[in-house]
Amino acid sequence: MQKFQIEGGVALEGDVVISGAKNAVLPLQAATLLANGPMIIRNVPRLKDVKTMGALIEGMGVTVNIDDDNNFSTDAETISSQTAPYDLVRTMRASILVLGPLLARYGKAEVSLPGGCAIGSRPVDIHLSGLEAMGAQITVEEGYIRAECERLQGANISMEKITVTGTENLLMAAVLAEGTTVLNNAALEPEVVDLANCLIAMGAKIQGAGTNTITVEGVESLKGVDYSVLPDRIETGTYLAAAAITGGRVRCLNAAPDTLTAALNKFRDAGAKITEGDDWVELDMRGRKLKAVDIHTEAHPGFPTDMQAQFMAMNAVSTGIGVVVENIFENRMMHVAELMRMGANIRLEGNTAIVAGMPSLKGAPVMATDLRASACLILAGLAADGVTLVDRIYHTDRGYERIEDKLTAIGARISRN
């Protein structure tokens, strides 16, 4: 099993080009199932999850191609199956996103119950109840969701809790439904807005994306378009955190700083100098002292749960005490034990971690338990004295494109072994 070997103690400095957003491209890949004719998605990151979603769609008979310029092209006219099998779905929770498009366009879908990172329960009940409200007949048996309908009907749907994938799935289902659908308590995440913008370009009639009420007037069909993916705000935040934790300076190019406001404000609270433009953002920690910050994860526009682990690593080597409260996923503190192996002073109380900053961490063998935990441990290794070995880095490859190459280019001593 591959590992990252990291020799810490180097202040990172330089520019990093940010890839397209993992959490935006996966629903966009699912949305290609709705298109009459060829479709191209540009700025697609080369990630394990992107390959999995491509293989899932291709397995249904859709023509799929990813070229050398990171463009993902499809033609759903060749589709021959509406089944998403367990072997692929079990590795990636976002596979559930094909359910809405398949049902809306083809009137039937058979999708395995999903897997993914073990960071807590993320039930699909909201997806299913929303589709049932639109007229779908759904059964769950033998580990599969089986759904069918004549044509989905517009409905007024109130989601009992905010769910990003639930919002995206129901949004994609609604665009081809007959009549008007209103999604209440919708997710506000930039990736939801990106999906809506793509669907609008395809001919959908959507209003309110980016607010908690989205209104969709169904249309008969959608066309294929040429669309570019939103820059990855979590990748951006991770490289900024790498500059902060090592006392360096990193500028992220091809970024969208307006999607990362809550995290940028916390970087400022931590003592960093933040400078930003329309498509770039820079963090400068040179000559500054890192201060511990309190974190409470919330749905967007609050502090993103996907940046919690990275700030936990920063707090571990900061001045003062930081309290980190995880409000989104109940199992998203598994990196705490691994940070403590490196000398971090952390007390865990349920979904709250009290982190007392230490002068330094010590390199050690550690194990990634999920995608963002892997980023946390890499950051800790960059700041630690000695050598850190990060195991189970297949988690990293699910969400970070060539992370070791990008880090090496700005001075990190990291290798994949």
Side-chain angles (χ1 to χ4, degrees):
M1 190 176 293
Q2 290 186 326
K3 302 178 182 181
F4 283 136
Q5 178 173 310
I6 306 165
E7 185 178 350
V10 177
L12 304 187
E13 186 161 349
D15 295 346
V16 176
V17 178
I18 299 302
S19 302
K22 173 185 100 76
N23 290 337
V25 72
L26 299 177
L28 290 176
Q29 287 177 286
T32 65
L33 294 168
L34 295 165
N36 286 344
M39 185 159 172
I40 300 175
I41 305 173
R42 300 188 186 276
N43 194 34
V44 173
R46 291 188 176 274
L47 301 173
K48 184 178 179 181
D49 278 8
V50 173
K51 292 179 181 177
T52 299
M53 184 65 89
L56 179 65
I57 294 170
E58 190 172 33
M60 298 176 187
V62 176
T63 303
V64 173
N65 181 60
I66 302 180
D67 66 24
D68 293 338
D69 294 322
N70 287 18
N71 300 319
F72 179 85
S73 59
T74 66
D75 188 345
E77 296 301 299
T78 61
I79 194 168
S80 56
S81 169
Q82 288 79 41
T83 298
Y86 171 74
D87 285 349
L88 288 173
V89 176
R90 69 183 176 86
T91 66
M92 184 183 67
R93 186 164 193 85
S95 303
I96 191 68
L97 287 167
V98 301
L99 178 61
L102 287 173
L103 193 56
R105 185 170 182 195
Y106 302 102
K108 60 180 178 178
E110 186 172 334
V111 180
S112 172
L113 289 167
C117 282
I119 59 175
S121 64
R122 293 183 280 186
V124 297
D125 295 3
I126 294 173
H127 304 235
L128 304 188
S129 62
L131 292 171
E132 285 178 328
M134 298 170 73
Q137 293 83 48
I138 297 176
T139 58
V140 179
E141 54 189 8
E142 299 176 341
Y144 277 83
I145 301 164
R146 295 184 171 93
E148 60 182 26
C149 64
E150 288 296 324
R151 182 183 179 186
L152 292 175
Q153 302 295 307
N156 194 316
I157 300 170
S158 293
M159 290 174 276
E160 64 183 49
K161 63 181 292 187
I162 296 174
T163 161
V164 175
T165 54
T167 300
E168 291 167 340
N169 228 340
L170 297 177
L171 177 60
M172 287 187 283
V175 293
L176 292 182
E178 184 176 13
T180 300
T181 299
V182 180
L183 302 178
N184 300 296
N185 201 27
L188 280 61
E189 270 70 6
E191 295 79 13
V192 173
V193 177
D194 203 41
L195 173 62
N197 288 339
C198 180
L199 292 170
I200 290 168
M202 296 167 69
K205 296 180 179 179
I206 301 169
Q207 293 183 327
T211 75
N212 57 15
T213 302
I214 301 176
T215 303
V216 185
E217 183 182 343
V219 298
E220 292 293 329
S221 63
L222 297 177
K223 63 183 179 181
V225 295
D226 190 322
Y227 191 81
S228 187
V229 182
L230 176 80
D232 196 314
R233 61 192 171 110
I234 304 304
E235 185 192 24
T236 302
T238 301
Y239 286 111
L240 296 179
I245 202 169
T246 63
R249 180 204 65 83
V250 169
R251 176 175 290 200
C252 294
L253 307 176
N254 186 40
D258 60 327
T259 65
L260 201 58
T261 301
L264 294 182
N265 287 338
K266 283 297 178 181
F267 280 123
R268 292 186 178 98
D269 292 345
K273 179 183 177 182
I274 298 289
T275 313
E276 57 186 286
D278 290 341
D279 61 355
W280 62 272
V281 57
E282 178 181 286
L283 186 148
D284 192 344
M285 204 69 206
R286 295 172 299 181
R288 295 167 176 265
K289 186 167 291 187
L290 196 60
K291 296 180 289 187
V293 293
D294 294 340
I295 299 294
H296 292 253
T297 64
E298 299 173 351
H300 191 79
F303 189 89
T305 181
D306 282 350
M307 283 299 301
Q308 177 256 103
Q310 296 90 315
F311 270 79
M312 182 92 74
M314 288 168 50
N315 275 348
V317 294
S318 296
T319 300
I321 297 175
V323 178
V324 179
V325 182
E326 174 55 55
N327 295 309
I328 307 299
F329 296 122
E330 69 271 20
N331 288 342
R332 206 163 209 178
M333 290 289 188
M334 291 186 285
H335 45 278
V336 169
E338 300 303 302
L339 283 175
M340 292 174 68
R341 286 175 51 80
M342 301 177 69
N345 185 352
I346 304 173
R347 187 170 82 252
L348 190 59
E349 299 177 355
N351 68 335
T352 299
I354 298 94
V355 189
M358 302 290 289
S360 64
L361 298 176
K362 302 295 183 183
V366 290
M367 181 181 68
T369 52
D370 59 73
L371 170 56
R372 305 308 172 186
S374 73
C376 164
L377 298 175
I378 290 169
L379 293 176
L382 293 171
D385 296 331
V387 176
T388 298
L389 292 174
V390 182
D391 202 353
R392 294 192 179 178
I393 61 174
Y394 56 84
H395 288 295
T396 315
D397 295 333
R398 290 189 52 234
Y400 292 94
E401 181 178 24
R402 301 183 296 105
I403 191 169
E404 70 272 32
D405 295 340
K406 292 186 179 184
L407 285 171
T408 297
I410 55 176
R413 293 177 293 202
I414 179 173
S415 60
R416 183 185 293 254
N417 302 317

